[in-house]
């Protein structure tokens, strides 16, 4: 036994040194789905940030324009007929209007020290027409600036091009809309998708470097134990009435809508338990896990139900006294209101806490409420007596234990069992934590049969002449019935 533990410890040390990082699409999508709110929140924060920034930096610009006709003062007819000459005159006049002296004069007329806008003048090609525009941050200001320029230009042109006059073809008007519409909303949309994409990228990188068990092949690569069976993920199959009323169905092999693969997985696990019991004369099996929400209660209950279907006398003990979940899972009533906690406290007899479930043909010892004195109760003589008495009456005793990485109660329960199973849910516990849990089990001297790989993707089971596979994970299941629902560990039920 010691040599075997030393070998496993050596394997553990080797696997700690070489972390096996791998990309798994299903696990990455699962991580993204779990953190959808983070992605959404990141997108919203980025969108708000972009919107506020764009709004703060946005300065609306208003443009007022007018069209002027360049004419010869002395010979209007020749000016119209000779486009080359009038176009040249228009170009000369444009240079005058573009001058800073004209802009400063218009600004002083309105009481400004400098021209608070942008003045531009262009000649329409092959014509003697000038397009004159003023752009400013205010519609009224741009209008007044253009009017001031039109009033001031004669004093600059009379001595230079006295033979030219300007005729207004289109009077300037006050603009009603800015020439540069705000793009804050557009930037907010871009920011949302950029923020969400950044969150997706970060979560995906995190998922890649998260050293969890993401697929069956990871068990041999990362863990110091063997895989006993893979439990497939399940679809959420509820009727409209059940959805409306919020009715939840447990993942039980007695559930008529449960998948064939799910039932077959527990048949396979049952066969291994029966074989181990016959070979090693074991009766008491502890089902544990490293962390919460890995489905150990689901495995413990369904294993007991599967054994009971073979007419074995089965006792299912809820050993998680801090967060009991078995009774809730099976919707079973505690006989006479007496629980296993009452027995361990000396307030009930052993016969009073055994609740026989006639429908499922199993006996349950559990509780509807938890206690924080679990460690003291489990290490007392009453617990030893309970297990010893049960060995005389039952063929199989299945114990649902607390997670080993949270409390020491599980270690004390492990010592009462003959053999154990560890439930490993896909992409939940770190491989190092799982191996530490395995070390704890082995250190207690209890045999570890192997791990039950839970929530497995693409499980193929040959049966009925065909292969069934590709079941998807649904909202209802391992994380919704009795595991993620009752709060943090140590409060009420798991």
């Amino acid at each position: 036994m010691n040599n075997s533990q030393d070998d496993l410890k050596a394997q553990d040390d080797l696997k700690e040194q070489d972390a096996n990082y791998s990309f798994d699409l299903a696990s990455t999508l699962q991580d993204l789905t779990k953190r959808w709110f983070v992605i959404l929140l990141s997108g919203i924060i980025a969108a708000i940030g972009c919107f506020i920034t764009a709004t703060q930096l946005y300065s609306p610009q208003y443009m007022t324009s007018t069209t002027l006709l360049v004419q010869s003062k002395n010979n209007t007819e020749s000016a119209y007929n000779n486009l080359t000459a009038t176009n040249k005159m228009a170009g000369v006049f444009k240079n005058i209007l573009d001058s800073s002296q004209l802009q400063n004069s218009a600004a002083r007329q309105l009481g400004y020290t400098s021209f608070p806008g942008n003045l531009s003048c262009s000649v329409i090609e092959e014509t003697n027409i000038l397009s004159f525009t003023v752009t400013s941050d205010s519609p009224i200001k741009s209008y007044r600036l253009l009017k001031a320029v039109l009033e001031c230009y004669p004093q600059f042109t009379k001595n230079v091009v006295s033979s030219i006059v300007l005729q207004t073809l289109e009077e300037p008007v006050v603009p009603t809309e800015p020439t540069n519409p705000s793009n804050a909303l557009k930037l907010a949309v871009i920011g949302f998708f950029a923020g969400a994409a950044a969150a997706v990228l970060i979560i995906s990188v995190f998922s890649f470097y998260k050293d969890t068990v993401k697929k069956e092949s990871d068990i041999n690569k990362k863990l110091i134990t063997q895989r006993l069976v893979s439990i497939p993920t399940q679809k959420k199959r509820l009727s409209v009435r059940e959805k409306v009323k919020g009715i939840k169905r447990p993942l039980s092999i007695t559930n008529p809508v449960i998948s064939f693969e799910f039932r077959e997985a527990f048949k396979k696990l049952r066969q291994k338990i029966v074989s181990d019991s016959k070979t090693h004369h074991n009766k008491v099996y502890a089902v544990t896990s490293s962390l919460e929400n890995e489905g150990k209660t689901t495995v413990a209950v369904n294993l007991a139900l599967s054994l009971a279907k073979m007419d074995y006398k089965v006792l299912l003990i809820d050993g998680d006294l801090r967060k009991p979940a078995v009774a809730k899972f099976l919707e079973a009533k505690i006989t006479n209101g007496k629980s296993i906690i009452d027995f361990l406290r000396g307030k009930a007899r052993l016969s009073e806490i055994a609740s026989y479930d006639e429908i499922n043909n199993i006996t349950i010892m559990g509780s509807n409420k938890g206690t924080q004195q679990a460690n003291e109760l489990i290490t007392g003589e009453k617990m030893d007596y309970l297990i010893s008495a049960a060995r005389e009456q039952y063929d199989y005793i299945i114990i649902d234990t607390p997670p080993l990485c949270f409390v020491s109660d599980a270690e004390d329960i492990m010592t009462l069992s003959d053999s154990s199973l560890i439930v490993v849910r896909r992409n939940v516990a770190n491989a190092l934590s799982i191996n530490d849990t395995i070390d704890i089990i082995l250190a207690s001297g209890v045999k570890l049969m192997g791990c039950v790989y839970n929530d497995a993707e693409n499980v193929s089971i040959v049966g009925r002449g065909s292969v069934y596979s590709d079941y998807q994970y649904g909202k209802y299941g391992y994380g919704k019935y009795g595991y993620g629902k009752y709060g943090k560990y140590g409060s009420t039920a798991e």
Side-chain angles (χ1 to χ4, degrees):
M1 180 69 180
N2 291 333
N3 291 335
S4 176
Q5 290 188 23
D6 292 340
D7 292 340
L8 291 176
K9 187 63 177 176
Q11 296 176 34
D12 192 10
D13 294 338
L14 181 61
K15 290 178 180 180
E16 287 182 29
Q17 295 173 7
D18 301 320
N20 293 285
Y21 301 118
S22 61
F23 175 77
D24 181 70
L25 180 60
S27 298
T28 302
L29 292 176
Q30 184 185 48
D31 288 333
L32 292 173
T33 302
K34 285 181 179 179
R35 293 163 179 81
W36 68 268
F37 186 77
V38 175
I39 298 173
L40 178 63
L41 186 61
S42 299
I44 292 175
I45 292 174
I48 293 174
C50 289
F51 183 84
I52 293 175
T53 302
T55 302
Q56 293 293 327
L57 297 177
Y58 173 63
S59 176
Q61 297 295 307
Y62 297 88
M63 184 177 70
T64 303
S65 64
T66 186
T67 305
L68 305 175
L69 178 66
V70 181
Q71 290 182 316
S72 171
K73 182 185 297 184
N74 298 324
N75 191 352
T76 304
E77 183 179 355
S78 63
Y80 275 114
N81 295 333
N82 192 342
L83 287 177
T84 302
T86 54
N87 183 265
K88 182 177 180 180
M89 287 189 292
V92 173
F93 201 81
K94 172 185 178 299
N95 293 333
I96 296 173
L97 295 179
D98 281 340
S99 66
S100 59
Q101 290 87 351
L102 176 59
Q103 296 181 27
N104 291 335
S105 177
R108 286 193 298 272
Q109 180 175 318
L110 296 176
Y112 297 108
T113 57
S114 61
F115 195 79
N118 181 38
L119 174 65
S120 65
C121 182
S122 63
V123 180
I124 299 176
E125 189 176 357
E126 301 297 330
T127 70
N128 58 335
I129 299 175
L130 290 174
S131 178
F132 212 11
T133 62
V134 172
T135 304
S136 180
D137 58 0
S138 166
I140 298 297
K141 185 187 294 184
S142 65
Y143 173 77
R144 293 181 61 197
L145 285 172
L146 182 54
K147 294 291 287 185
V149 169
L150 294 177
E151 292 174 2
C152 292
Y153 87 84
Q155 59 182 311
F156 290 91
T157 61
K158 64 182 179 179
N159 296 326
V160 180
V161 282
S162 58
S163 61
I164 295 177
V165 294
L166 298 179
Q167 180 182 346
T168 303
L169 298 179
E170 182 182 357
E171 290 289 342
V173 295
V174 178
T176 57
E177 294 181 357
T179 57
N180 60 331
S182 173
N183 59 352
L185 184 60
K186 179 180 178 181
L187 290 177
V189 174
I190 295 174
F192 174 83
F193 286 106
V200 168
L201 179 61
I202 293 172
I203 294 173
S204 298
V205 172
F206 169 78
S207 178
F208 176 80
Y209 285 104
K210 188 169 64 170
D211 193 24
T212 57
V213 178
K214 300 173 183 177
K215 47 185 178 292
E216 287 185 359
S217 59
D218 285 346
I219 295 175
N220 291 331
K221 295 177 182 178
K222 300 181 179 183
L223 304 185
I224 54 174
T225 189
Q226 64 178 344
R227 180 181 64 88
L228 293 176
V229 68
S230 294
I231 309 298
T233 58
Q234 296 297 294
K235 286 185 177 181
K236 184 179 180 181
R237 298 172 177 174
L238 298 177
S239 65
V240 175
R241 183 182 64 86
E242 290 171 329
K243 291 178 180 179
V244 171
K245 293 188 176 183
I247 299 174
K248 293 182 172 69
R249 290 180 177 177
L251 290 176
S252 168
I253 59 174
T254 60
N255 189 333
V257 298
I258 210 71
S259 72
F260 169 74
E261 289 77 10
F262 192 86
R263 291 190 179 91
E264 288 300 304
F266 279 100
K267 286 182 181 179
K268 184 177 179 181
L269 181 60
R270 178 185 67 198
Q271 291 171 357
K272 295 193 174 186
I273 294 295
V274 172
S275 176
D276 177 80
S277 176
K278 291 179 179 179
T279 303
H280 303 286
H281 306 289
N282 293 330
K283 280 192 172 185
V284 184
Y285 291 86
V287 180
T288 190
S289 63
S290 297
L291 306 176
E292 284 188 286
N293 302 335
E294 295 203 65
K296 61 179 181 57
T297 300
T298 298
V299 173
V301 171
N302 282 287
L303 174 59
L305 292 174
S306 184
L307 288 167
K309 283 182 175 293
M310 299 300 292
D311 291 329
Y312 291 115
K313 294 185 63 177
V314 181
L315 172 63
L316 177 59
I317 299 176
D318 196 336
D320 193 347
L321 302 185
R322 298 175 188 270
K323 294 182 64 177
V326 170
K328 285 184 172 65
F329 189 100
L330 291 173
E331 299 178 353
K333 296 181 180 179
I334 303 301
T335 304
N336 301 322
K338 301 293 185 179
S339 68
I340 186 174
I341 295 177
D342 294 323
F343 170 77
L344 296 177
R345 286 174 173 169
K347 296 181 180 180
R349 295 189 301 272
L350 186 59
S351 58
E352 292 179 313
I353 66 169
S355 302
Y356 179 66
D357 185 344
E358 295 183 1
I359 298 176
N360 296 312
N361 189 34
I362 61 172
T363 302
I364 304 167
M365 291 184 181
S367 177
N368 288 326
K369 296 182 180 180
T371 176
Q372 296 302 313
Q373 299 175 331
N375 187 261
E376 293 84 349
L377 296 177
I378 289 172
T379 55
E381 295 181 356
K382 288 283 187 179
M383 193 67 184
D384 290 332
Y385 172 75
L386 187 154
I387 298 298
S388 298
R391 287 179 184 274
E392 301 297 327
Q393 300 179 41
Y394 298 94
D395 299 316
Y396 291 96
I397 304 164
I398 309 299
I399 306 177
D400 178 24
T401 77
L404 268 168
C405 285
F406 278 120
V407 290
S408 61
D409 310 350
E411 297 182 47
D412 298 321
I413 294 177
M414 298 300 297
T415 60
L416 301 174
S417 62
D418 301 323
S419 189
S420 61
L421 315 172
I422 181 171
V423 178
V424 176
R425 183 177 174 183
R426 175 174 60 89
N427 198 32
V428 173
N430 186 279
L432 180 60
S433 298
I434 299 173
N435 285 329
D436 287 342
T437 301
I438 294 172
D439 286 337
I440 293 172
I441 295 173
L442 297 177
S444 68
V446 177
K447 175 187 174 182
L448 176 64
M449 290 185 62
C451 76
V452 176
Y453 184 47
N454 197 12
D455 192 16
E457 286 280 346
N458 301 328
V459 174
S460 297
I461 299 177
V462 178
R464 299 180 182 176
S466 61
V467 176
Y468 298 78
S469 63
D470 299 332
Y471 271 73
Q472 303 300 318
Y473 179 79
K475 293 181 181 178
Y476 184 91
Y478 304 106
K480 290 291 183 182
Y481 187 90
Y483 308 114
K485 176 181 177 183
Y486 299 104
K488 293 185 178 180
Y489 194 83
S491 56
T492 54
E494 178 182 351

